[in-house]
């Protein structure tokens, strides 16, 4: 019977940990975290000001894009309102529209004839 007896004594892990006593603290603690050096209010305000200023390069690029857009918009308005007398762009558009219309007509005729 001794050969079949494979029982092992079970120990409660929580009770064993309590019996061994408190462990030594290694690494940083909450107290260390709370007692760390923190920036002063002046340093924080300086960081916030720098963050708000942002990049001057980005501001310049946005300004250029705004000017470019306004020029394109003015040109587009002039075309739509017909203020730009004899420009080449409307003629090209008219030709494209004629081609599109003629293609649509031909397609419609071929369908009816089939």
């Amino acid at each position: 019977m001794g050969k079949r007896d494979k029982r092992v004594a079970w120990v409660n892990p929580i009770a064993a940990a309590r019996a061994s006593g408190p462990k030594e603290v290694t690494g940083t603690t909450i107290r260390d975290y709370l007692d760390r050096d923190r920036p002063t209010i002046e340093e924080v305000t300086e960081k916030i000001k720098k963050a708000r200023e942002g990049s001057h390069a980005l501001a310049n690029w946005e300004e250029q894009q705004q000017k470019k857009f306004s020029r394109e918009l003015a040109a587009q308005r002039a075309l739509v309102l017909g203020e730009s007398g004899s420009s080449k762009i409307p003629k090209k558009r008219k030709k494209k529209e004629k081609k599109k219309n003629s293609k649509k007509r031909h397609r419609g005729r071929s369908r009816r004839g089939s």
Side-chain angles (χ1 to χ4, degrees):
M1 243 180 138
K3 291 181 180 178
R4 289 185 176 188
D5 193 12
K6 303 246 181 192
R7 289 181 287 176
V8 179
W10 185 80
V11 179
N12 185 349
I14 297 172
R18 286 183 182 158
S20 66
K23 291 188 175 182
E24 289 186 28
V25 178
T26 57
T28 58
T29 62
I30 295 173
R31 176 68 55 199
D32 295 336
Y33 181 73
L34 292 174
D35 291 339
R36 76 191 187 284
D37 293 333
R38 288 185 219 106
T40 61
I41 192 69
E42 290 84 16
E43 293 171 350
V44 172
T45 52
E46 284 180 24
K47 284 185 179 181
I48 292 172
K49 284 181 183 178
K50 287 181 182 178
R52 285 184 184 165
E53 286 178 6
S55 172
H56 294 290
L58 178 63
N60 292 338
W61 180 79
E62 287 179 344
E63 188 175 328
Q64 287 177 347
Q65 292 297 321
Q66 186 67 26
K67 288 178 182 178
K68 181 181 174 183
F69 177 75
S70 62
R71 285 192 303 255
E72 290 176 0
L73 186 62
Q76 206 58 20
R77 283 182 183 155
L79 289 175
V80 171
L81 296 175
E83 295 175 0
S84 64
S86 62
S87 67
K88 295 180 181 180
I89 296 173
K91 290 180 182 178
K92 288 182 181 178
R93 286 190 182 169
K94 288 180 183 178
K95 287 182 182 180
K96 286 183 182 179
E97 288 176 9
K98 286 182 182 179
K99 286 183 182 179
K100 284 182 184 178
N101 291 337
S102 65
K103 286 181 183 179
K104 287 180 184 177
R105 288 181 193 156
H106 290 298
R107 286 182 188 165
R109 290 179 186 167
S110 63
R111 287 182 188 164
R112 291 181 200 151
S114 300

